Amino acid sequence: MDEPTALRVGEWIQRHRPPVVDITGGAPELSEFFRYLVETARAIGAEVIDRNNLTIIEETGYGWLPEYLAEHEVQVIASLPCYSAENVNQQRGHGVFEKSISALKKLNAAGYGTKLPLHLIYNPLGPTLPGPQAELEADYKDVLGRDFGIVFNNLYTLTNQPIARFAEDLRKQGKWDKYLELLANSFNPATVDGLMCRTTLSVGYRG
């Protein structure tokens, strides 16, 4: 996102005063305007959500993030596709699990999971549907708490969308049609009223 676009987004936030500003994009903290958007939104009383991939906290030059997010009372929703090192590293790359655990400990030390909201995101490995959310949350809390002393508030399960790299993998493996059939046959109409796209205005990095 370039400066003119970031400033236009900030002006829109100030003018329209949305109740929630949800900042995402892989690692939105990499943007030089991340702090500007956070502080602009908080200044008008908006709740701010940071969609955090956790490993950014372990990158050189980003150790300030946990304390900064806590100072501005930013809600953190972090991606951790499994509580197993083998599964996470297989899905995200070697060493990602270890970095994620280290980042979660730093977020806990800054008050996340106790005084401030810290939620985790689970998505399955491969063309399958996630298991029951409540059961997975209990397993996550048990393993992360017992093995690493990590606490968090809620776990949200996501179904993998057949787009981008995941779509390419499905086609290469010859599983595209089967996965689309699984999604169609598993459709739950009770979820429609709560879909984010019904109440969310999405703004891309180009504005």
Side-chain angles (χ1 to χ4, degrees):
M1 181 176 287
D2 59 24
E3 183 173 4
T5 302
L7 292 177
R8 285 186 64 195
V9 172
E11 291 168 1
W12 188 94
I13 291 171
Q14 291 171 322
R15 183 182 310 118
H16 296 282
R17 307 176 73 84
V20 179
V21 174
D22 191 337
I23 307 176
T24 187
E29 304 87 356
L30 289 172
S31 170
E32 61 183 305
F33 304 106
F34 175 76
R35 281 179 278 196
Y36 164 71
L37 294 173
V38 167
E39 291 166 30
T40 299
R42 292 297 293 140
I44 59 95
E47 176 184 1
V48 175
I49 299 172
D50 175 28
R51 303 275 175 170
N52 190 291
N53 71 5
L54 293 176
T55 57
I56 184 63
I57 293 171
E58 298 301 295
E59 294 297 319
T60 301
Y62 290 91
W64 51 270
L65 269 169
E67 288 73 21
Y68 174 82
L69 295 170
E71 177 187 354
H72 294 281
E73 299 182 327
V74 175
Q75 180 182 160
V76 174
I77 300 182
S79 176
L80 187 69
C82 190
Y83 49 75
S84 158
E86 180 181 358
N87 286 352
V88 173
N89 290 336
Q90 179 181 351
Q91 185 171 352
R92 296 288 174 84
H94 179 70
V96 168
F97 180 78
E98 291 75 15
K99 289 181 179 179
S100 298
I101 292 299
S102 177
L104 284 169
K105 289 181 178 180
K106 292 175 182 177
L107 287 167
N108 278 175
Y112 280 96
T114 50
K115 299 177 182 178
L116 295 164
L118 171 63
H119 308 302
L120 301 183
I121 296 289
Y122 164 86
N123 61 290
L125 179 63
T128 60
L129 299 179
Q133 184 167 284
E135 293 178 17
L136 281 168
E137 181 179 292
D139 290 343
Y140 264 70
K141 287 187 173 180
D142 177 55
V143 174
L144 293 179
R146 182 186 68 237
D147 294 350
F148 306 105
I150 289 170
V151 295
F152 66 94
N153 298 99
N154 298 304
L155 176 78
Y156 301 126
T157 60
L158 293 183
T159 299
N160 292 322
Q161 295 298 302
I163 58 176
R165 185 180 301 173
F166 182 57
E168 293 178 13
D169 290 341
L170 288 174
R171 291 189 176 97
K172 288 178 182 177
Q173 297 171 24
K175 298 179 179 179
W176 170 261
D177 290 336
K178 186 175 180 180
Y179 187 63
L180 290 189
E181 183 179 355
L182 173 65
L183 294 180
N185 291 338
S186 305
F187 173 68
N188 179 6
T191 64
V192 173
D193 287 343
L195 290 178
M196 288 177 63
C197 61
R198 295 170 64 92
T199 56
T200 300
L201 174 66
S202 297
V203 181
Y205 74 97
R206 293 180 177 176

